[in-house]
Amino acid sequence: MSKFIVILCTVPSKDDGIAIAKRLVEEGLAACVNINSGVSSIYKWKGDICDDEEYLLFIKSRKALFDKVSAEIVSLHPYDLPEIISLPITVALKPYLNWIEENTQN
């Protein structure tokens, strides 16, 4: 089981993404956050089909920090129910994984 993860989270604006990314990196909850624009999201919410343009955050962290990352995102996120999904990093360049470890909380 990998101790490193990528957390995916969508946000409605680049400003929301930047605010979340900066907080996570400043607090040592993430080593890096990439913000990808132009994500089309189609989903069902409260009985309606929604079609929104969003930004997707790729948050590089450690599995042990998932609950803290999630709590921080929820505290800053404008959505009632933000998407917060973790994927394991199963294979990666060893120096990159070391960098994630060095730049996140113990």
Side-chain angles (χ1 to χ4, degrees), residues 23 70-77:
R23 177 72 65 84
S70 296
E72 197 65 37
I73 292 171
V74 168
S75 76
L76 297 169
H77 207 290

Side-chain angles (χ1 to χ4, degrees), residues 48-101:
D48 294 323
I49 301 296
C50 301
D51 182 353
D52 292 322
E53 289 298 313
E54 295 182 299
Y55 291 79
L56 179 58
L57 308 182
F58 293 87
I59 303 161
K60 273 70 81 173
S61 188
R62 291 186 293 118
K63 184 179 179 183
L65 296 173
F66 180 81
D67 290 340
K68 289 181 179 181
V69 172
S70 296
E72 197 65 37
I73 292 171
V74 168
S75 76
L76 297 169
H77 207 290
Y79 291 167
D80 293 337
L81 180 60
E83 172 187 15
I84 305 172
I85 299 171
S86 170
L87 303 172
I89 298 174
T90 57
V91 179
L93 185 67
K94 180 68 172 156
Y96 186 79
L97 297 177
N98 292 341
W99 176 79
I100 292 174
E101 180 114 45

